[in-house]
């Protein structure tokens, strides 16, 4: 868990250069989700969410791996804290991409939406359901901003010759 914290601090310090180290970092955190200790799994998922939020549009090519991992964890994990972390990763991913969500998550957005609805309807842990509702609200805001862009009123002053 300490190693994950160190990796996240260094990733945040790298800023824009962090996208060059995307693949090894994602592999480390995805491997951490398979650990036998539930706190390590939850910590790895939390770090994965923070990394996805930092990477913005550079997450595109590995998004399938990330979403498959999240789907498997949400549907099969017994520990509620790990499921909470998995659903929170989706929220962080949506927040990190904001306007670019439809471009980056084009192929997996429908799967993520279905997963969030599944969690919202079937999970017994109230906190997991709350995290799913927050992610659904974030997705709702993104869709509303996309469908109904903010109108800007501008005055144009034209001087006739």
């Amino acid at each position: 868990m300490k190693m994950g914290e160190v990796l996240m601090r260094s990733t945040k310090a790298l800023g824009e250069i962090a996208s060059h180290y995307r693949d090894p970092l994602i592999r480390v955190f995805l491997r951490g989700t398979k650990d036998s200790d539930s706190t390590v799994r939850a910590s790895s998922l939390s770090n994965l969410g923070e990394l996805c939020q930092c990477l913005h549009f550079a997450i595109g090519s590995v998004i399938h791996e990330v979403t498959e991992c999240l789907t498997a964890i949400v549907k099969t994990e017994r520990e509620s804290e790990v499921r909470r972390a998995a659903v929170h990763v989706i929220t962080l991913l949506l927040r990190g991409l904001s306007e670019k969500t439809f471009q980056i998550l084009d192929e997996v957005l429908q799967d993520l939406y279905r997963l969030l609805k599944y969690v919202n309807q079937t999970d017994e842990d109230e906190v997991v359901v709350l995290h799913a509702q927050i992610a659904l609200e974030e997705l709702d805001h993104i869709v509303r901003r996309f469908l109904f862009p903010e109108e800007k009123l501008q005055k144009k002053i034209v001087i006739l010759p």
Side-chain angles (χ1 to χ4, degrees), residues 36-144:
S36 60
D37 187 13
S38 64
T39 55
V40 173
R41 291 193 305 266
S43 175
S44 293
L45 284 168
S46 176
N47 291 336
L48 181 65
E50 290 292 327
L51 179 64
C52 289
Q53 193 173 16
C54 290
L55 289 177
H56 301 292
F57 61 91
I59 192 76
S61 62
V62 293
I63 195 65
H64 289 288
E65 296 172 30
V66 172
T67 55
E68 289 299 319
C69 176
L70 295 175
T71 302
I73 288 172
V74 166
K75 290 186 176 181
T76 62
E77 181 64 43
R78 292 184 182 187
E79 297 291 329
S80 61
E81 67 181 9
V82 180
R83 289 193 318 272
R84 291 174 191 169
V87 174
H88 188 65
V89 169
I90 297 171
T91 306
L92 292 176
L93 182 63
L94 292 172
R95 284 184 187 154
L97 294 174
S98 63
E99 295 92 29
K100 304 269 186 192
T101 300
F102 291 108
Q103 295 168 349
I104 306 298
L105 299 180
D106 181 37
E107 299 172 5
V108 297
L109 192 60
Q110 186 176 14
D111 296 332
L112 288 177
Y113 176 74
R114 287 179 180 162
L115 179 65
L116 291 171
K117 292 299 276 185
Y118 169 80
V119 169
N120 196 22
Q121 295 170 354
T122 62
D123 206 296
E124 293 137 6
D125 186 29
E126 293 177 7
V127 178
V128 176
V129 172
L130 178 66
H131 281 297
Q133 289 172 349
I134 292 170
L136 285 169
E137 288 174 9
E138 188 69 33
L139 187 58
D140 182 53
H141 290 295
I142 292 169
V143 170
R144 286 182 190 275

Side-chain angles (χ1 to χ4, degrees), residues 23-37 40-41 44-45 48 65 69 73:
D23 291 337
L25 286 170
I26 286 181
R27 271 186 265 143
V28 166
F29 295 139
L30 287 177
R31 187 173 301 222
T33 62
K34 298 177 183 178
D35 196 82
S36 60
D37 187 13
V40 173
R41 291 193 305 266
S44 293
L45 284 168
L48 181 65
E65 296 172 30
C69 176
I73 288 172

